[in-house]
Amino acid sequence: MKGKIKRIAIALNVVLLLGLILIHQSGALQKIDILLFDYDMKAAADHRPDPSIVMVAIDDASLAELGRFPWDRAVYAPFLANLNQEGNEPKAIAFDIIFGEASDNPDGDMAFAEALASYSNVILPVTGIMGDHFSTSVVRRDEYIQAQGIVKPYERFAELVQLAHINRVVTKDGVIRQTWLNIKGPEGEIVPSLAWKAAEMAGADLSGYADLTDPKKFGEPVAKNTMTIDYHLSTDDFLTVSFIDVLNGELPPDLFKDSIVIVGFTAVGLTGDGGQDTGASPIEKNFKLMYAHGNIVNQLLKGSEVSYIPNWAELTLALILFLLFIYLPWRLKNIYSILLFLTVLAAVLYGQYALYQTAALHANVVLGLLAMLLAYLANVSLKSYMDSTQKSFVTRQFGRYISPDLVKQIVAQDIEIKLGGDLKHITILFLDIRGFTPLSEKLAPAELVDTLNTMFNMITETTLRNSGTIDKFIGDAAMILFNAPLDVAEHERMAVQTAYEIQQGMKQIREQIMEKYECEVNVGIGIHTGNVVVGNIGSYLRVDYTAIGDNVNIAARIESQTKKGQVHVSEQVYEQTKRWFLFDEGEDRMFKGKSHPIRVYELLGLKDEK
């Protein structure tokens, strides 16, 4: 059976491994990995923005005073003037507002253009036209994202400012987790992102991001300068002022000194120039997109980076966990294996969490967790089935003939019992039914078997009640062991007690047989104790748990010289049990194969309880 189970286990685990490979290649586990990633990032957020970042919001208060958006562009001239007061100029003023065409008021456009010409720190956005790029081409990791076109601001403005793209990278679940720090235009020009350009103008060291390639796709192609946004800030963490307050000069001028100003929308329902956008991040499910730029700028200024464990390391972890939980269920009891499984599960989850908290390093452990879960469930189920089958088989075959403790031991160890034995001090009881031959001549076979079973049932119940093990029934005889295979305290006493109770039980049986068949039956019992070899003796085709050795032979010889109804014990048994039982004075007897006499005592009864 063990060989068959082993073959089934191997086949099952191979199927599981192939299934895990298919699941991994399908990307079906990516959603769970993203959930863990988002949780880790949210927990790691420090909510401490760089003090140089100032957000200027086109909010409801601004709309209430200036009217419906888009406004006359002339309004931006005094706005820029108030930001760029002498000695308090920002390093960069980044508009997250698209000025794509001429407005209906040429004078307003002219006023805005003159203001732009006066300041060198203004950034206006462009957008890269991607079309169906991601479904029709393969993006190389050493190349920039290739845009099919670049939509620039109104040309009168474009030639006066710094340009930067505001393309967002949105995964299938709608969350903005990555950004392209640079994209490539159709004519080969490299266009930086709004956050990159602002950080560069502020003097940030961006050399570490020059060739950055994020190896995690999250549903999008990977290319040069693709970076995971390290969100540390939610909307409320930023210093945000109202556009109208800047325009009216109600803020201290030094607020903007050497700062990075990002101008965007927070008002609800804006339409027209640039519109109004919302999005989701791992740490905030509904936020204005100007704060995504703020997070990227904050990351670039601090020089932080989210990195990932290599794919080979994640696959190695999954394989180790898979093999570990194929092995452990077969080596440990189920209660220990489930505790270990839960411990490892918690350790892996906490480990990936701690790794991100300390080093912003994300490990995809989902495949590993699935591998250990499937391996454990499959193998512990198979083992449980095998254990149940073993227990049922052993109980069905042997439960009525050996002690319950031995049944439990066989089940706990292995049904395929190994050959061999150990030297152990035990007590051996031999029993023989006297008068059985005359009885068998008078009874029909069915009656004979029924009568014999009645006697053996009583003998079996008495033996098991006194912690004995019925080694075997041989015709009308029996061999019973005490202190094997499990230890039994005062095993000599238990053996003599068993013999006494058997003789008492025979009285009623003897009377019934005499009354029914007019034949007298008795039991002769011999008991000896000593060292013998006990274990599984036989061949691989037939094996029995038994005892062998000279002391077994002595017990058999003692029994052979008993008369009907007698219980004889050796001197060794007598010395260990004389406190509880009455014996005669004993006599020395010679036995076949022995050069010296053996002293034998007859059991007379129990001593009084006192």
Side-chain angles (χ1 to χ4, degrees), residues 312-343:
W312 66 264
E314 295 170 351
L315 293 175
T316 300
L317 173 65
L319 182 60
I320 291 173
L321 291 174
F322 183 73
L323 295 176
L324 182 65
F325 283 94
I326 289 175
Y327 174 77
L328 289 178
W330 297 99
R331 300 295 298 176
L332 301 176
K333 291 183 178 180
N334 287 351
I335 183 62
Y336 298 130
S337 67
I338 185 63
L339 290 175
L340 187 59
F341 172 82
L342 294 175
T343 300

Short mmCIF file of all heavy atoms in Angstrom, two decimals, residues 312-343:
data_model
loop_
_atom_site.label_atom_id
_atom_site.label_comp_id
_atom_site.label_asym_id
_atom_site.label_seq_id
_atom_site.Cartn_x
_atom_site.Cartn_y
_atom_site.Cartn_z
N TRP A 312 13.55 35.42 -10.65
CA TRP A 312 14.13 34.12 -10.33
C TRP A 312 14.08 33.84 -8.83
O TRP A 312 13.89 32.70 -8.40
CB TRP A 312 15.57 34.03 -10.85
CG TRP A 312 16.55 34.95 -10.19
CD1 TRP A 312 16.97 36.16 -10.61
CD2 TRP A 312 17.24 34.72 -8.93
NE1 TRP A 312 17.86 36.72 -9.73
CE2 TRP A 312 18.06 35.86 -8.69
CE3 TRP A 312 17.24 33.69 -8.01
CZ2 TRP A 312 18.86 35.98 -7.57
CZ3 TRP A 312 18.04 33.81 -6.88
CH2 TRP A 312 18.84 34.93 -6.68
N ALA A 313 14.23 34.91 -8.03
CA ALA A 313 14.17 34.72 -6.58
C ALA A 313 12.74 34.38 -6.13
O ALA A 313 12.54 33.54 -5.24
CB ALA A 313 14.65 35.99 -5.87
N GLU A 314 11.76 35.01 -6.75
CA GLU A 314 10.38 34.71 -6.41
C GLU A 314 10.01 33.29 -6.79
O GLU A 314 9.32 32.59 -6.05
CB GLU A 314 9.46 35.72 -7.11
CG GLU A 314 9.66 37.15 -6.61
CD GLU A 314 8.94 38.17 -7.46
OE1 GLU A 314 8.42 37.79 -8.53
OE2 GLU A 314 8.89 39.34 -7.06
N LEU A 315 10.48 32.85 -7.96
CA LEU A 315 10.20 31.47 -8.41
C LEU A 315 10.92 30.47 -7.52
O LEU A 315 10.38 29.39 -7.22
CB LEU A 315 10.63 31.31 -9.87
CG LEU A 315 9.83 32.11 -10.90
CD1 LEU A 315 10.43 31.95 -12.29
CD2 LEU A 315 8.37 31.67 -10.90
N THR A 316 12.14 30.81 -7.09
CA THR A 316 12.88 29.92 -6.19
C THR A 316 12.17 29.77 -4.86
O THR A 316 12.06 28.67 -4.31
CB THR A 316 14.31 30.46 -5.97
OG1 THR A 316 15.00 30.55 -7.23
CG2 THR A 316 15.09 29.55 -5.03
N LEU A 317 11.68 30.89 -4.33
CA LEU A 317 10.92 30.84 -3.08
C LEU A 317 9.68 29.95 -3.23
O LEU A 317 9.38 29.13 -2.35
CB LEU A 317 10.49 32.24 -2.67
CG LEU A 317 9.55 32.33 -1.46
CD1 LEU A 317 10.25 31.83 -0.20
CD2 LEU A 317 9.04 33.76 -1.26
N ALA A 318 8.99 30.11 -4.35
CA ALA A 318 7.79 29.30 -4.58
C ALA A 318 8.13 27.82 -4.65
O ALA A 318 7.42 26.98 -4.08
CB ALA A 318 7.11 29.74 -5.88
N LEU A 319 9.23 27.48 -5.30
CA LEU A 319 9.63 26.08 -5.42
C LEU A 319 10.02 25.50 -4.07
O LEU A 319 9.66 24.37 -3.73
CB LEU A 319 10.80 25.95 -6.41
CG LEU A 319 11.29 24.52 -6.68
CD1 LEU A 319 10.17 23.66 -7.26
CD2 LEU A 319 12.49 24.54 -7.61
N ILE A 320 10.76 26.28 -3.27
CA ILE A 320 11.17 25.82 -1.93
C ILE A 320 9.94 25.56 -1.06
O ILE A 320 9.84 24.53 -0.39
CB ILE A 320 12.11 26.84 -1.28
CG1 ILE A 320 13.46 26.87 -2.00
CG2 ILE A 320 12.32 26.51 0.20
CD1 ILE A 320 14.39 27.97 -1.53
N LEU A 321 9.00 26.48 -1.07
CA LEU A 321 7.79 26.31 -0.26
C LEU A 321 6.97 25.13 -0.75
O LEU A 321 6.40 24.38 0.05
CB LEU A 321 6.95 27.59 -0.30
CG LEU A 321 7.55 28.81 0.41
CD1 LEU A 321 6.68 30.04 0.17
CD2 LEU A 321 7.70 28.56 1.90
N PHE A 322 6.93 24.94 -2.05
CA PHE A 322 6.19 23.81 -2.63
C PHE A 322 6.79 22.48 -2.17
O PHE A 322 6.08 21.59 -1.69
CB PHE A 322 6.21 23.92 -4.15
CG PHE A 322 5.43 22.85 -4.86
CD1 PHE A 322 4.06 22.85 -4.84
CD2 PHE A 322 6.09 21.83 -5.55
CE1 PHE A 322 3.32 21.86 -5.49
CE2 PHE A 322 5.38 20.84 -6.20
CZ PHE A 322 3.99 20.87 -6.18
N LEU A 323 8.10 22.36 -2.29
CA LEU A 323 8.77 21.12 -1.89
C LEU A 323 8.69 20.91 -0.38
O LEU A 323 8.52 19.78 0.09
CB LEU A 323 10.23 21.15 -2.34
CG LEU A 323 10.46 21.17 -3.86
CD1 LEU A 323 11.95 21.30 -4.18
CD2 LEU A 323 9.88 19.92 -4.52
N LEU A 324 8.81 22.01 0.38
CA LEU A 324 8.78 21.90 1.84
C LEU A 324 7.45 21.33 2.31
O LEU A 324 7.42 20.45 3.19
CB LEU A 324 9.02 23.28 2.46
CG LEU A 324 9.05 23.33 4.00
CD1 LEU A 324 10.23 22.53 4.53
CD2 LEU A 324 9.13 24.78 4.48
N PHE A 325 6.36 21.79 1.69
CA PHE A 325 5.05 21.34 2.16
C PHE A 325 4.54 20.12 1.39
O PHE A 325 3.40 19.71 1.58
CB PHE A 325 4.05 22.49 2.14
CG PHE A 325 4.26 23.40 3.30
CD1 PHE A 325 5.05 24.53 3.19
CD2 PHE A 325 3.72 23.10 4.53
CE1 PHE A 325 5.27 25.36 4.28
CE2 PHE A 325 3.93 23.91 5.63
CZ PHE A 325 4.71 25.04 5.51
N ILE A 326 5.40 19.57 0.57
CA ILE A 326 5.21 18.17 0.13
C ILE A 326 5.82 17.26 1.18
O ILE A 326 5.25 16.22 1.53
CB ILE A 326 5.86 17.94 -1.24
CG1 ILE A 326 5.07 18.66 -2.34
CG2 ILE A 326 5.94 16.44 -1.55
CD1 ILE A 326 5.72 18.57 -3.70
N TYR A 327 6.97 17.67 1.70
CA TYR A 327 7.74 16.83 2.62
C TYR A 327 7.15 16.80 4.03
O TYR A 327 6.96 15.74 4.63
CB TYR A 327 9.18 17.35 2.66
CG TYR A 327 10.07 16.70 3.68
CD1 TYR A 327 10.61 15.43 3.45
CD2 TYR A 327 10.39 17.34 4.87
CE1 TYR A 327 11.44 14.82 4.39
CE2 TYR A 327 11.22 16.75 5.81
CZ TYR A 327 11.74 15.49 5.56
OH TYR A 327 12.54 14.89 6.48
N LEU A 328 6.82 18.00 4.57
CA LEU A 328 6.44 18.08 5.98
C LEU A 328 5.17 17.32 6.35
O LEU A 328 5.14 16.70 7.42
CB LEU A 328 6.32 19.55 6.39
CG LEU A 328 7.64 20.33 6.48
CD1 LEU A 328 7.38 21.77 6.84
CD2 LEU A 328 8.58 19.69 7.48
N PRO A 329 4.10 17.37 5.55
CA PRO A 329 2.91 16.63 5.97
C PRO A 329 3.14 15.14 6.18
O PRO A 329 2.46 14.51 7.01
CB PRO A 329 1.93 16.87 4.80
CG PRO A 329 2.36 18.16 4.22
CD PRO A 329 3.85 18.15 4.34
N TRP A 330 4.10 14.58 5.46
CA TRP A 330 4.37 13.14 5.61
C TRP A 330 5.28 12.85 6.79
O TRP A 330 5.34 11.70 7.26
CB TRP A 330 5.01 12.60 4.33
CG TRP A 330 4.09 12.70 3.15
CD1 TRP A 330 4.09 13.66 2.19
CD2 TRP A 330 3.02 11.81 2.83
NE1 TRP A 330 3.09 13.43 1.28
CE2 TRP A 330 2.42 12.30 1.64
CE3 TRP A 330 2.50 10.66 3.42
CZ2 TRP A 330 1.33 11.68 1.05
CZ3 TRP A 330 1.42 10.04 2.82
CH2 TRP A 330 0.84 10.54 1.65
N ARG A 331 6.00 13.88 7.28
CA ARG A 331 6.95 13.67 8.36
C ARG A 331 6.38 14.03 9.73
O ARG A 331 6.90 13.58 10.74
CB ARG A 331 8.21 14.51 8.12
CG ARG A 331 8.93 14.19 6.82
CD ARG A 331 9.49 12.78 6.81
NE ARG A 331 10.48 12.59 7.86
CZ ARG A 331 11.08 11.44 8.13
NH1 ARG A 331 10.76 10.36 7.42
NH2 ARG A 331 11.97 11.36 9.09
N LEU A 332 5.34 14.85 9.76
CA LEU A 332 4.82 15.35 11.03
C LEU A 332 3.37 14.92 11.20
O LEU A 332 2.66 14.65 10.23
CB LEU A 332 4.89 16.88 11.07
CG LEU A 332 6.28 17.52 10.92
CD1 LEU A 332 6.14 19.03 10.88
CD2 LEU A 332 7.20 17.10 12.05
N LYS A 333 2.94 14.91 12.45
CA LYS A 333 1.52 14.72 12.72
C LYS A 333 0.75 15.91 12.18
O LYS A 333 1.26 17.03 12.10
CB LYS A 333 1.29 14.57 14.22
CG LYS A 333 1.86 13.28 14.81
CD LYS A 333 1.52 13.17 16.29
CE LYS A 333 2.03 11.86 16.87
NZ LYS A 333 1.72 11.72 18.32
N ASN A 334 -0.51 15.67 11.85
CA ASN A 334 -1.31 16.72 11.21
C ASN A 334 -1.39 17.98 12.06
O ASN A 334 -1.34 19.10 11.53
CB ASN A 334 -2.72 16.20 10.91
CG ASN A 334 -2.72 15.22 9.76
OD1 ASN A 334 -1.71 15.05 9.07
ND2 ASN A 334 -3.84 14.57 9.53
N ILE A 335 -1.51 17.84 13.37
CA ILE A 335 -1.63 19.01 14.22
C ILE A 335 -0.37 19.86 14.17
O ILE A 335 -0.42 21.10 14.16
CB ILE A 335 -1.95 18.60 15.69
CG1 ILE A 335 -2.15 19.84 16.56
CG2 ILE A 335 -0.87 17.69 16.25
CD1 ILE A 335 -3.31 20.71 16.15
N TYR A 336 0.79 19.19 14.10
CA TYR A 336 2.05 19.93 14.02
C TYR A 336 2.25 20.53 12.63
O TYR A 336 2.78 21.65 12.50
CB TYR A 336 3.22 19.02 14.38
CG TYR A 336 3.16 18.49 15.80
CD1 TYR A 336 3.32 17.14 16.07
CD2 TYR A 336 2.94 19.35 16.87
CE1 TYR A 336 3.25 16.65 17.37
CE2 TYR A 336 2.86 18.87 18.16
CZ TYR A 336 3.02 17.53 18.41
OH TYR A 336 2.94 17.06 19.69
N SER A 337 1.86 19.80 11.61
CA SER A 337 2.06 20.31 10.25
C SER A 337 1.17 21.52 9.99
O SER A 337 1.59 22.47 9.33
CB SER A 337 1.81 19.21 9.22
OG SER A 337 0.45 18.83 9.19
N ILE A 338 -0.07 21.52 10.51
CA ILE A 338 -0.93 22.69 10.30
C ILE A 338 -0.40 23.89 11.06
O ILE A 338 -0.44 25.02 10.56
CB ILE A 338 -2.39 22.38 10.70
CG1 ILE A 338 -3.31 23.56 10.35
CG2 ILE A 338 -2.51 22.07 12.18
CD1 ILE A 338 -3.41 23.87 8.91
N LEU A 339 0.13 23.67 12.25
CA LEU A 339 0.72 24.78 13.00
C LEU A 339 1.94 25.34 12.28
O LEU A 339 2.13 26.57 12.20
CB LEU A 339 1.11 24.32 14.41
CG LEU A 339 -0.06 24.02 15.36
CD1 LEU A 339 0.46 23.46 16.68
CD2 LEU A 339 -0.90 25.26 15.61
N LEU A 340 2.75 24.45 11.73
CA LEU A 340 3.93 24.90 10.99
C LEU A 340 3.51 25.62 9.71
O LEU A 340 4.11 26.62 9.32
CB LEU A 340 4.82 23.69 10.65
CG LEU A 340 6.18 24.02 10.03
CD1 LEU A 340 6.99 24.93 10.96
CD2 LEU A 340 6.96 22.74 9.74
N PHE A 341 2.47 25.10 9.05
CA PHE A 341 1.97 25.75 7.84
C PHE A 341 1.53 27.18 8.14
O PHE A 341 1.89 28.12 7.43
CB PHE A 341 0.80 24.94 7.27
CG PHE A 341 0.09 25.62 6.14
CD1 PHE A 341 0.58 25.57 4.85
CD2 PHE A 341 -1.08 26.34 6.37
CE1 PHE A 341 -0.07 26.21 3.81
CE2 PHE A 341 -1.75 26.98 5.34
CZ PHE A 341 -1.23 26.91 4.05
N LEU A 342 0.75 27.35 9.20
CA LEU A 342 0.27 28.68 9.55
C LEU A 342 1.42 29.60 9.95
O LEU A 342 1.41 30.79 9.64
CB LEU A 342 -0.74 28.57 10.70
CG LEU A 342 -2.06 27.84 10.35
CD1 LEU A 342 -2.92 27.69 11.60
CD2 LEU A 342 -2.81 28.59 9.27
N THR A 343 2.42 29.02 10.63
CA THR A 343 3.59 29.82 11.02
C THR A 343 4.36 30.30 9.80
O THR A 343 4.74 31.48 9.72
CB THR A 343 4.51 28.98 11.93
OG1 THR A 343 3.80 28.58 13.10
CG2 THR A 343 5.73 29.79 12.34
#
